[in-house]
Amino acid sequence: MTPNVKGAVLMMGSMAAFTVNDALIKVAGADLPLFQMVAMRGLLATLLVFLMARHLGALHLNFPRHDKWLVAARCLAELSATFFFLTALLHMPLANVTAVLQALPLTVTLGAVLFFGEHIGWRRILAIGMGFAGMLLIVRPGPDGFSIYAIYALIAVASVTARDLITRRMSTHVPSLTVTLATSVSITVAAGIATAVTGWEPVAPGAGIMVASAAVFVLTGYLCSVMVMREGDVGFIAPFRYSSLIWALGLGWVIFGDWPDTITMLGAVLVVGAGLFTLFRERQSQPTE
């Protein structure tokens, strides 16, 4: 396979792994409290990441103090994203939550403009506006206003955007697996502390297998996402991240019997279309845009 094809396969593998992890957590969430699931998954994922990082020699803190603060900030953003995303996931259809997350290329682009002073042209500004309009169609308010869980999904998008913008500011001296391990440890510890308040339920074998499987899939997703950055042209590979929506539609229909209505699907098309256009313009844009 060419580097571009390898990168595309790895990106699709990453999105599939993350989406399967989401489906497993959603199923297990019928029997287990959220923080207990996160703590259980985190223990196994942290162990696996530690062993992998140690084997690859990627476990060290020999990088500038500035980067250490960025790693800490990234962990906080990831912690917020985990809580709000999984809470929304347990109360919303899988495809709907996944579709909201497809706005990330748009929100990251907008964040780079607002916080880093990056320049974008009117075409990408228009695409961002269309993407946000599509997101509103997905989380549209009902008779009583926005669902609290739809708001949680939007907060998750904001948190992941902050995480990605923070990651952009890190230097190349910071090993990816060290960042992944720090994130996994922080989420696991925070979830473990939270279980002191929410309690710990007995774990049935089926639920335990699903949480353990989720840990393996989430680690696979992280591993593929790290490997994908070393293969091919990012401009070619990045659009394949939207394959997660296909997985979410299929798994949501097969496992939960959910299928988005026409308005939600229209919103998803707008979000994905705007994101693809934004990625294309980022690749093709010139200073005179």
Side-chain angles (χ1 to χ4, degrees):
M1 291 188 291
T2 65
N4 277 349
V5 173
K6 286 182 182 179
V9 171
L10 286 169
M11 177 62 82
M12 290 188 289
S14 174
M15 294 301 101
F18 282 132
T19 309
V20 172
N21 158 75
D22 294 340
L24 290 169
I25 289 295
K26 187 173 177 65
V27 173
D31 301 313
L32 298 174
L34 171 61
F35 291 117
Q36 180 179 342
M37 289 192 297
V38 174
M40 291 170 57
R41 184 187 68 175
L43 284 172
L44 180 56
T46 299
L47 176 61
L48 293 174
V49 171
F50 173 77
L51 293 174
M52 183 184 304
R54 184 152 185 191
H55 173 71
L56 297 175
L59 190 60
H60 66 79
L61 299 176
N62 298 325
F63 45 85
R65 181 184 296 272
H66 172 71
D67 284 320
K68 292 178 182 178
W69 283 109
L70 289 176
V71 170
R74 188 186 185 281
C75 289
L76 289 175
E78 187 74 69
L79 182 60
S80 172
T82 299
F83 169 72
F84 286 107
F85 173 75
L86 291 182
T87 302
L89 177 67
L90 294 178
H91 296 88
M92 291 175 63
L94 176 61
N96 291 42
V97 181
T98 303
V100 172
L101 285 184
Q102 304 314 303
L104 281 173
L106 306 175
T107 57
V108 171
T109 299
L110 181 60
V113 172
L114 296 177
F115 297 107
F116 301 153
E118 294 186 10
H119 170 74
I120 61 172
W122 65 269
R123 296 177 183 84
R124 276 185 280 173
I125 293 174
L126 180 60
I128 291 172
M130 291 180 59
F132 285 145
M135 193 161 57
L136 288 176
L137 289 177
I138 298 169
V139 299
R140 62 192 181 279
D144 301 320
F146 280 106
S147 160
I148 184 62
Y149 301 114
I151 295 175
Y152 277 22
L154 295 177
I155 296 174
V157 170
S159 299
V160 177
T161 301
R163 180 203 69 188
D164 289 352
L165 291 174
I166 291 168
T167 304
R168 280 192 179 194
R169 308 306 289 179
M170 291 181 185
S171 70
T172 56
H173 300 293
V174 186
S176 298
L177 282 175
T178 297
V179 176
T180 301
L181 180 61
T183 303
S184 184
V185 169
S186 62
I187 292 174
T188 303
V189 170
I193 294 173
T195 59
V197 177
T198 60
W200 193 277
E201 297 292 332
V203 181
I209 291 173
M210 281 186 284
V211 173
S213 299
V216 174
F217 276 105
V218 78
L219 177 60
T220 302
Y222 277 124
L223 180 60
C224 288
S225 65
V226 171
M227 293 171 64
V228 77
M229 300 310 296
R230 301 174 179 175
E231 296 286 349
D233 181 359
V234 173
F236 175 85
I237 296 167
F240 288 93
R241 66 171 289 114
Y242 291 109
S243 62
S244 62
L245 186 56
I246 298 174
W247 281 98
L249 287 168
L251 291 173
W253 179 57
V254 172
I255 299 175
F256 307 106
D258 294 327
W259 188 260
D261 59 24
T262 302
I263 295 178
T264 300
M265 289 294 288
L266 175 61
V269 169
L270 284 175
V271 170
V272 172
L276 289 172
F277 179 79
T278 298
L279 291 171
F280 174 76
R281 289 301 300 175
E282 286 181 356
R283 187 184 184 190
Q284 298 293 327
S285 64
Q286 300 175 354
T288 56
E289 179 189 17

